[in-house]
Amino acid sequence: MTDRPLTLMAVHAHPDDEATGTGGVLARYAAEGIRTVLVTCTDGRCGDGPGGVKPGDPGHDPAAVALMRRQELDASCDVLKVSDLETLDYADSGMMGWPSNDTPGSFWQTPVEEGAARLAELMRHYRPDVVVTYDENGFYGHPDHIQAHRITMAALEMTDLTPKVYWTTMPRSGMRRFGEIMREFHEDMPEPDPAEAAAMAEIGLPDDEITTWVDATAFSGQKFDALAAHASQGENIFFLKMGKERFGELMGTETFLRVKDTTGAAVPETDLFAGLR
């Protein structure tokens, strides 16, 4: 037996990602007395600047944006009661195909072994019982999400740890519902072209392939407030337009694919820590 607390480590790409995909589990498990460790890999410098100024436009100061986003990240962690925040501070690579993908020092240009070695040190320090990150495609193809997946899986191989490992996902039924709500809020939204629609249809998993459904509805207000803490990115955070009640209905349950397990806990499961307590 040990006095070490049960520990959840979430590895995310940018400030605000922690709230979108795992805000509910971070808040829920913190309330249950579990240590919650957030690792944020990039500084978010490719986000919007004050007044919504876009990367590459006149007046966009990447260093100032990075500082602002770190302050917002701290505020989000306060809302979610995150126990420990670790930042790797790689330069945000921007969306796939942006020139910033090729910037020396960007996360996308960082050798996987380098990022993984740094993350492995954090894993050895915190010894997480559960690790959460993205799937091979970074859920929707963002280079920094893909890189976060790569360094997380490589870091686990560098350690002697055997945590339960999960990738964030969404049920296809939830993605369809999300699309309906998007059209409800944007009645003039054009229909996507066939290629875009086909790509969207591949995001997430069929409902029966999802291994883990965690009800965090009671903490959806915290999740909403954590997203709202990233005020500089509000234009890009559609969920904030719903209001808390609708947000809770759509985003209250968080879903995952369990990819590593030594507990033998049956799936589908409703608790990331099933088999550990």
Side-chain angles (χ1 to χ4, degrees):
M1 297 296 289
T2 175
D3 292 332
R4 185 182 64 82
L6 284 172
T7 299
L8 165 66
M9 175 180 281
V11 183
H12 281 292
H14 311 98
D16 76 30
D17 290 332
E18 79 290 338
T20 306
T22 57
V25 293
L26 287 169
R28 170 180 161 168
Y29 290 123
E32 293 179 8
I34 288 170
R35 179 167 60 178
T36 52
V37 180
L38 170 63
V39 181
T40 301
C41 296
T42 80
D43 59 8
R45 65 178 51 220
C46 289
D48 290 356
V53 62
K54 303 298 181 185
D57 287 351
H60 187 277
D61 181 344
V65 170
L67 176 61
M68 175 177 61
R69 297 199 71 184
R70 173 54 196 266
Q71 293 168 343
E72 292 174 342
L73 178 61
D74 288 339
S76 173
C77 287
D78 285 345
V79 170
L80 297 174
K81 309 301 182 188
V82 169
S83 308
D84 300 272
L85 170 63
E86 299 282 355
T87 55
L88 300 185
D89 285 327
Y90 289 109
D92 187 346
S93 310
M95 300 296 285
M96 190 68 81
W98 286 14
S100 48
N101 294 173
D102 301 320
T103 302
S106 69
F107 193 35
W108 189 235
Q109 291 298 315
T110 299
V112 169
E113 296 76 11
E114 177 193 318
R118 293 181 62 194
L119 182 56
E121 282 302 304
L122 293 175
M123 289 179 173
R124 293 186 191 104
H125 174 71
Y126 288 106
R127 303 191 70 81
D129 302 282
V130 171
V131 172
V132 175
T133 191
Y134 315 102
D135 62 18
E136 306 100 316
N137 191 47
F139 185 61
Y140 69 98
H142 193 296
D144 288 331
H145 290 224
I146 294 169
Q147 190 76 329
H149 163 85
R150 290 173 176 170
I151 73 161
T152 302
M153 303 312 290
L156 287 163
E157 293 297 321
M158 293 177 178
T159 74
D160 62 355
L161 304 173
T162 57
K164 298 177 78 176
V165 180
Y166 294 89
W167 297 341
T168 57
T169 190
M170 279 280 285
R172 296 269 168 83
S173 62
M175 291 299 296
R176 288 192 294 272
R177 179 65 180 138
F178 177 64
E180 292 167 1
I181 292 175
M182 285 276 286
R183 285 187 287 276
E184 178 184 329
F185 278 83
H186 300 281
E187 294 179 358
D188 57 347
M189 187 172 69
E191 289 294 323
D193 64 57
E196 183 180 342
M200 285 293 293
E202 292 302 312
I203 293 177
L205 290 173
D207 292 33
D208 61 359
E209 292 183 19
I210 291 174
T211 62
T212 312
W213 304 70
V214 182
D215 183 1
T217 306
F219 302 93
S220 61
Q222 277 176 261
K223 181 174 177 174
F224 184 95
D225 290 342
L227 271 173
H230 296 280
S232 69
Q233 309 309 303
E235 181 182 330
N236 304 316
I237 303 176
F238 164 77
F239 305 108
L240 296 176
K241 298 178 174 66
M242 298 180 187
K244 282 189 176 180
E245 184 175 347
R246 294 292 299 279
F247 178 86
E249 293 171 5
L250 184 67
M251 303 291 288
T253 297
E254 294 180 347
T255 50
F256 306 87
L257 179 67
R258 192 175 82 189
V259 293
K260 288 183 181 291
D261 172 64
T262 58
T263 69
V267 293
E269 60 187 1
T270 59
D271 179 9
L272 297 178
F273 289 86
L276 293 170
R277 56 178 177 171

